[in-house]
Amino acid sequence: LLTRFGSLSELFAAQLHEFRQVRGMGPAKFAQLQAVLEMARRALGEDIRTGDVLRSPNSVREYLRLALQGREHEVFLALFLDAQNRVIESEELFRGTLSQTSVYPREVVKQALHHNAAAVIFAHNHPSGAAEPSHADEALTQALKQALALVDVKVLDHFVVGAATVLSFAERGLL
């Protein structure tokens, strides 16, 4: 399987019809692989929920990679945090097309208030595979940061998940 798909990330992103092209692999094995992937997502989700997110950036990166990498459409996700930077909720807020998704700051603010969040970390994927943020990504992040500042919610980071990397706006100095 690794030879056929080239990496674990590509294997996890494979669709059933691609998986079935490998001799001996059928729907049952595909379902088992998807179950293992979901258990890994949940385990990483538990890790980030039980600890201080900021002390474990690799856990956040790996959780986001598993949650968003390999999706065929763009997804915008938020991690809502309490005052101690513990995850209250991880929520997929918007789903788009192959190359874009519409994000509405008003809805993001509503969800932050609903969860009584003190801070938020955003993430979205680029199905094209490139983790480089666009100018629209940067403008959106600034708009969200300004809208959330009005209700005292801090934007700690915005990650872009590509095929091989996960880029952090904070590390790039874009926040």
Side-chain angles (χ1 to χ4, degrees):
L1 288 171
L2 287 175
T3 300
R4 162 64 172 86
F5 291 102
S7 69
L8 284 174
S9 295
E10 291 298 316
L11 172 60
F12 291 152
Q15 300 299 310
L16 177 59
H17 71 277
E18 298 169 304
F19 192 79
R20 292 179 82 174
Q21 292 173 356
V22 177
R23 187 172 168 254
M25 297 295 125
K29 291 292 183 196
F30 183 77
Q32 288 175 332
L33 179 65
Q34 294 305 307
V36 168
L37 182 58
E38 183 59 28
M39 287 188 294
R41 280 186 187 117
R42 290 180 187 199
L44 286 169
E46 287 174 4
D47 285 350
I48 64 172
R49 280 185 176 88
T50 59
D52 183 344
V53 169
L54 298 179
R55 289 190 189 158
S56 185
N58 284 336
S59 291
V60 175
R61 269 193 166 85
E62 289 308 309
Y63 172 76
L64 294 173
R65 183 188 319 268
L66 281 173
L68 298 175
Q69 196 174 49
R71 299 272 192 107
E72 293 181 350
H73 51 274
E74 210 169 286
V75 174
F76 188 87
L77 179 139
L79 296 173
F80 296 103
L81 311 174
D82 66 13
Q84 284 76 42
N85 293 323
R86 293 179 303 227
V87 176
I88 299 167
E89 188 65 49
S90 172
E91 188 172 340
E92 183 180 304
L93 297 177
F94 305 99
R95 182 178 292 210
T97 65
L98 177 64
S99 60
Q100 67 181 8
T101 189
S102 296
V103 176
Y104 303 99
R106 180 179 195 272
E107 296 303 315
V108 175
V109 171
K110 276 176 49 178
Q111 286 307 102
L113 292 173
H114 169 76
H115 292 296
N116 199 28
V120 65
I121 295 173
F122 296 119
H124 76 281
N125 65 318
H126 281 172
S128 67
E132 199 60 35
S134 67
H135 293 296
D137 293 339
E138 292 178 33
L140 171 64
T141 303
Q142 291 307 316
L144 290 171
K145 187 176 173 183
Q146 290 171 359
L148 287 163
L150 295 172
V151 292
D152 295 321
V153 176
K154 294 178 190 165
V155 175
L156 300 181
D157 209 340
H158 184 162
F159 290 91
V160 180
V161 178
T165 59
V166 180
L167 180 134
S168 161
F169 274 52
E171 289 174 356
R172 277 273 184 98
L174 298 174
L175 282 180

